[in-house]
């Protein structure tokens, strides 16, 4: 079985401050990891994903994440946030290699609120 | 390219009724997955279709079913609706079902069961 835990349900931050959204995973097999963002009344948009290689992954909108196998974590970071980053962020995982047959396991989401 | 489209965007039904939701994937994508999103349970995988065949299924009762057509468009059906079926239903498409393949999500259909 596979599970994804997002450690913070809500993260308030001031504009231009750095932010870290935390994600831990648990799996008996190797996993691929993803971060998605959901703006109000919209679907999910991929920010970045880790498949293999460098453990530091850069994504869109200035976000990056670091895969840490020993700590089973995949935390999302941005050095300076904007008001427009206010949204809900989801960490997700799927079995690595072969065919996942579409199944992503999601964390419960972290609502990031950026204050002026 | 046009993104994933879902129709209708909003739906209100009463308990006991059935509902059909539609999803048109990005052109060329052959895999379509469905997810249910609720405040309590979060995002949960329903099922995945590839080339008109259901390849994977989540832990949902048999009232939830789906199908995929030869043009990759997909529908999901929920019969005998219950209050707890109120949710945002998201469809996602990808080129293949390879692990790590990016899934592109539609805006969702918001279903309210009264």
């Amino acid at each position: 079985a596979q599970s994804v835990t997002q450690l913070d349900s809500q993260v308030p931050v001031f504009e231009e401050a750095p932010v870290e959204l935390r994600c831990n995973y648990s799996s008996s097999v190797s996993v691929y990891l993803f971060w998605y963002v959901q703006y109000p009344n919209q679907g999910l948009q991929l920010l970045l994903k880790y498949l293999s290689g460098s453990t530091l992954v850069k994504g869109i909108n200035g976000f990056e994440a670091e895969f840490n196998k020993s700590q089973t974590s995949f935390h999302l970071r941005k050095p300076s946030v904007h008001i427009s980053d206010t949204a809900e962020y989801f960490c997700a995982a799927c079995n690595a290699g072969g065919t996942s047959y579409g199944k992503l396991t999601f964390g419960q989401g972290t609502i990031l609120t950026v204050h002026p | 390219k046009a993104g994933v489209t879902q129709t209708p965007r909003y739906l209100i039904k009463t308990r006991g009724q059935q509902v059909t939701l539609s999803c048109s994937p990005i052109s060329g994508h052959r895999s379509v997955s469905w997810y249910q999103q609720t405040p309590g349970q979060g995002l949960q995988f329903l099922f995945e279709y590839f080339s008109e065949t259901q390849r994977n299924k989540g832990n949902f009762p048999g009232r939830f079913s789906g199908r995929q057509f030869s043009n990759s468009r997909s529908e999901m059906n929920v019969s005998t609706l219950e209050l707890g079926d109120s949710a945002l239903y998201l469809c996602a498409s990808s080129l293949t079902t390879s692990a790590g393949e990016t899934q592109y999500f539609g805006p969702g259909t918001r279903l309210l069961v009264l």
Side-chain angles (χ1 to χ4, degrees):
Chain A
Q2 195 173 82
S3 67
V4 176
T5 303
Q6 291 181 241
L7 300 167
D8 306 293
S9 59
Q10 297 192 53
V11 172
V13 64
F14 285 111
E15 193 173 19
E16 297 183 8
V19 70
E20 178 180 80
L21 306 184
R22 298 180 294 165
C23 172
N24 282 22
Y25 69 91
S26 172
S27 177
S28 55
V29 299
S30 295
V31 295
Y32 293 151
L33 295 161
F34 307 77
W35 275 100
Y36 280 87
V37 60
Q38 185 176 34
Y39 299 103
N41 298 316
Q42 294 187 30
L44 279 70
Q45 179 184 9
L46 181 71
L47 283 174
L48 48 80
K49 63 183 179 182
Y50 173 77
L51 303 184
S52 64
S54 173
T55 57
L56 183 63
V57 181
K58 294 192 184 295
I60 63 171
N61 300 342
F63 284 95
E64 62 181 33
E66 185 151 21
F67 171 63
N68 188 318
K69 189 174 181 180
S70 62
Q71 296 188 10
T72 60
S73 67
F74 190 54
H75 301 333
L76 181 71
R77 302 186 182 102
K78 186 169 182 177
S80 175
V81 294
H82 304 290
I83 297 287
S84 59
D85 292 323
T86 295
E88 189 161 16
Y89 293 78
F90 292 93
C91 182
C94 72
N95 290 347
T99 306
S100 64
Y101 296 113
K103 183 176 181 180
L104 288 172
T105 300
F106 284 90
Q108 285 295 99
T110 298
I111 297 173
L112 173 65
T113 304
V114 181
H115 297 277
Chain B
K1 268 187 180 177
V4 178
T5 58
Q6 293 187 244
T7 56
R9 290 293 310 277
Y10 303 92
L11 209 46
I12 299 176
K13 293 285 187 180
T14 56
R15 276 181 300 174
Q17 287 187 307
Q18 76 164 13
V19 68
T20 299
L21 312 181
S22 180
C23 171
S24 292
I26 292 171
S27 177
H29 285 195
R30 297 170 63 192
S31 171
V32 174
S33 299
W34 288 88
Y35 293 84
Q36 181 195 65
Q37 185 178 20
T38 60
Q41 299 298 315
L43 278 152
Q44 294 186 287
F45 173 77
L46 279 157
F47 30 65
E48 187 262 356
Y49 285 86
F50 183 81
S51 293
E52 302 179 65
T53 302
Q54 186 182 93
R55 300 280 290 269
N56 201 358
K57 184 170 165 41
N59 191 24
F60 279 82
R63 299 185 297 107
F64 292 81
S65 63
R67 59 178 175 169
Q68 186 180 35
F69 301 94
S70 58
N71 62 358
S72 295
R73 189 177 71 85
S74 176
E75 289 181 347
M76 69 162 281
N77 183 277
V78 187
S79 62
T80 319
L81 283 165
E82 301 177 359
L83 295 179
D85 297 333
S86 294
L88 180 67
Y89 290 88
L90 293 165
C91 153
S93 76
S94 60
L95 272 170
T96 70
T97 55
S98 296
E101 183 87 37
T102 297
Q103 292 190 27
Y104 295 87
F105 284 79
T109 293
R110 190 166 295 280
L111 172 65
L112 177 61
V113 182
L114 301 176

